[in-house]
Amino acid sequence: MNEMEFENKVRSIANGMEYPRTPNIAGSVTTRLRTRTRPRFNSKALVWSLTIILVLCSSLMLIPPARAAILEFIQIGVVRIFPQSVEPTVAPIQTPAPESFVPVTATSSSQSSNLIPILNQMAGKTTLVEAQDKVEFSILLPAYPSDLGQPDYVYVPNADGNMVILVWLDPQHPEKVLMSLHFIPNGSWAIKKVEPKVIEETKVDGDRAIWTTGPYPLIFPNGDIQFERLINGHVLIWAGLDVTYRLETDLSLEEAVRIAESLEPIP
Amino acid sequence: MDEPTLIQRAVNGDVTAWEPLVLTHQQAVYRLAYLLLGDPDDAEDIAQETFLRAWKYLKRFDATRPLRPWLLSIASNLASNRRRSAGRYFAALTRAFRDEPITTATVEEKNSQHTQADDLWKAVQTLSTPDQQIVYLRYFLDLSVTETAEVLQVAEGTVKSRMSRALEKLRHIIKQDFPVLVEGHEA
């Protein structure tokens, strides 16, 4: 049996699969949306899992190092944050970055005037349309502020993943970055974010989000890229369904959340 | 009313517009969850959660794209997370005791289409989760390569290469543990 015959056989057998009758998902979902009740999990397995998790967590909390790790560890999407001086769980950078990727260097306020050359050195510079073609997730743009417009720079670094970076320049000071928005898809990039000075919990669209202030050494698990911020401001991190978002801006928390909640697909 | 119009109405908070979309896609979502989890109650939980999350994040969905791959992608991620939980282990353990041994099945039963499908499912369950996902999407739910690529958020070429590797592993497992499935074709 060649590959195609085997494939056809598998498909033919799979077509005979007997499934349980599909329950009335639509009715349940719409009822829950209308009543806005908390999700109801009725499976015994979930009850068991919650019980076991509770027992495990309780046991771990009795061990001081484990308790410390649990308490000091915050995860938002693929971004992991250590509020205190905790060693990152990845090896320090040992291998050089791929030639196609120029690491973004941190920009302090005194370096802002030199930012544009740095942006020009970043790998993966592209257009919004091309970027959307390269990635499977939807690239979203802030609808707020209404006069923001499209980003001035778009990057798809394509180093072991399809992260997208959008950069807007400050119209009053075009040599400075107004804000940058990073789209980090699940499964391709995992970032360890270490020792921010300030961490504040907030909400984006009702979901937990983190508002931090640097320093921001971000180390990728492949160990070859150190990625630091573009702006001497704050970073808002929140997770969507399949993408973690990272908004760098020197605007206020309220403004940053408003921008985050205004994200919409490219018109 | 077409799908993009219903989505747009749903984005604006119209639950009645969301209901027909759920009705259209609930079977595929439920079946994928059932294939991945093997438990009807868990599959129902995941299917409900899929549509609730999709509703919540709908304004971020590009309405010009087909809805089904996005929903299946959400369901697949939720089901995979559920599988990783400790509860899955005990549920699987319970099922293992509840299930009858394969050897008790008669020859006649083995020849039935449903039993064959059930054996194929058992064989697929021995694959890694990514391999299972691709086999379920392509052969059990009959998605195209393009749709599968959208669900898994990878390029179509990646789907083809991963599918080829998964099929090779599956063929090996079937030959070894479920030879009746390809009897008459392979000695």
Side-chain angles (χ1 to χ4, degrees):
Chain A
M1 193 187 293
N2 62 32
E3 191 173 333
M4 186 172 284
E5 286 171 340
F6 179 70
E7 191 176 3
N8 288 337
K9 180 78 177 171
V10 168
R11 181 174 283 113
S12 161
I13 295 173
N15 281 340
M17 179 73 185
E18 201 170 26
Y19 299 91
R21 193 175 59 83
T22 303
N24 182 15
I25 308 286
S28 308
V29 166
T30 51
T31 301
R32 284 170 64 174
L33 286 175
R34 287 194 176 103
T35 56
R36 295 187 178 278
T37 53
R38 290 179 65 81
R40 179 181 59 88
F41 292 100
N42 56 8
S43 73
K44 289 178 183 174
L46 189 62
V47 174
W48 267 106
S49 71
L50 287 173
T51 308
I52 289 161
I53 288 166
L54 272 174
V55 171
L56 282 174
C57 286
S58 304
S59 306
L60 284 171
M61 292 296 275
L62 297 174
I63 306 165
R67 181 174 63 229
I70 290 168
L71 293 176
E72 292 170 2
F73 180 92
I74 299 170
Q75 179 105 26
I76 296 286
V78 297
V79 177
R80 193 166 291 181
I81 302 167
F82 296 88
Q84 301 300 322
S85 187
V86 175
E87 289 297 316
T89 55
V90 293
I93 298 165
Q94 290 176 340
T95 52
E99 283 184 13
S100 62
F101 189 93
V102 178
V104 181
T105 53
T107 308
S108 69
S109 53
S110 61
Q111 290 174 310
S112 293
S113 59
N114 296 324
L115 184 60
I116 302 305
I118 291 169
L119 289 174
N120 286 331
Q121 286 173 36
M122 283 172 63
K125 189 174 173 183
T126 183
T127 65
L128 205 52
V129 174
E130 286 176 355
Q132 185 59 84
D133 285 343
K134 286 178 183 173
V135 298
E136 297 295 333
F137 55 86
S138 293
I139 297 177
L140 308 174
L141 296 179
Y144 174 83
S146 56
D147 59 349
L148 182 66
Q150 297 209 338
D152 297 291
Y153 291 86
V154 179
Y155 302 91
V156 181
N158 197 28
D160 196 27
N162 282 319
M163 184 168 80
V164 172
I165 304 170
L166 309 180
V167 178
W168 285 265
L169 300 181
D170 184 342
Q172 304 302 318
H173 305 279
E175 76 284 5
K176 292 181 182 173
V177 169
L178 177 68
M179 67 178 191
S180 72
L181 179 59
H182 300 205
F183 298 75
I184 312 164
N186 293 348
S188 58
W189 295 75
I191 299 176
K192 316 295 180 189
K193 182 177 172 67
V194 188
E195 293 185 51
K197 285 178 181 168
V198 175
I199 295 177
E200 186 177 342
E201 292 221 9
T202 185
K203 299 266 186 192
V204 170
D205 284 329
D207 287 335
R208 185 186 188 207
I210 294 290
W211 176 247
T212 68
T213 305
Y216 299 86
L218 298 181
I219 304 166
F220 294 82
N222 58 10
D224 58 9
I225 297 168
Q226 184 163 353
F227 192 98
E228 300 183 19
R229 62 190 171 141
L230 289 166
I231 299 172
N232 190 30
H234 303 278
V235 177
L236 179 67
I237 302 163
W238 73 103
L241 274 172
D242 45 13
V243 175
T244 302
Y245 303 93
R246 184 175 178 275
L247 176 68
E248 293 185 359
T249 174
D250 58 1
L251 297 171
S252 68
L253 168 59
E254 290 71 25
E255 286 290 285
V257 169
R258 198 166 168 193
I259 290 168
E261 291 183 339
S262 75
L263 292 185
E264 290 177 352
I266 300 169
Chain B
M1 202 174 294
D2 61 7
E3 191 168 278
T5 308
L6 287 168
I7 291 171
Q8 196 48 55
R9 282 180 53 187
V11 167
N12 295 329
D14 185 352
V15 176
T16 56
W18 189 231
E19 188 168 11
L21 292 170
V22 179
L23 276 169
T24 303
H25 300 292
Q26 65 180 16
Q27 187 180 74
V29 167
Y30 175 76
R31 287 185 171 186
L32 178 61
Y34 177 70
L35 287 166
L36 285 165
L37 297 169
D39 184 280
D41 289 339
D42 282 354
E44 185 176 355
D45 280 347
I46 292 298
Q48 283 190 29
E49 191 61 23
T50 296
F51 287 104
L52 290 170
R53 291 212 185 185
W55 165 268
K56 182 174 180 179
Y57 292 101
L58 202 55
K59 74 167 186 174
R60 293 182 188 164
F61 173 70
D62 179 358
T64 61
R65 293 184 170 202
L67 187 60
R68 187 165 76 150
W70 187 57
L71 293 170
L72 292 174
S73 176
I74 297 169
S76 178
N77 288 333
L78 290 172
S80 298
N81 290 341
R82 177 72 67 91
R83 278 163 64 124
R84 281 193 286 269
S85 73
R88 295 301 320 143
Y89 172 74
F90 284 97
L93 205 62
T94 309
R95 273 199 309 281
F97 282 108
R98 203 170 54 204
D99 286 349
E100 286 190 13
I102 299 167
T103 50
T104 61
T106 65
V107 174
E108 287 75 20
E109 284 170 337
K110 278 286 174 195
N111 288 336
S112 77
Q113 202 179 11
H114 292 156
T115 308
Q116 278 199 332
D118 204 44
D119 280 352
L120 176 64
W121 189 24
K122 285 190 175 87
V124 176
Q125 285 171 332
T126 65
L127 297 173
S128 67
T129 300
D131 284 346
Q132 284 184 44
Q133 285 173 334
I134 209 160
V135 170
Y136 291 147
L137 293 168
R138 282 287 288 133
Y139 304 113
F140 284 74
L141 299 186
D142 225 11
L143 263 64
S144 66
V145 171
T146 306
E147 284 181 308
T148 305
E150 286 202 40
V151 175
L152 300 175
Q153 300 184 2
V154 296
E156 289 184 24
T158 308
V159 168
K160 288 175 185 167
S161 58
R162 279 175 54 183
M163 206 167 64
S164 177
R165 285 197 296 271
L167 279 179
E168 199 49 49
K169 289 177 201 165
L170 185 62
R171 183 201 283 259
H172 179 74
I173 292 161
I174 287 175
K175 198 173 179 180
Q176 193 173 321
D177 299 331
F178 302 91
V180 69
L181 289 178
V182 288
E183 227 164 46
H185 292 282
E186 289 186 359

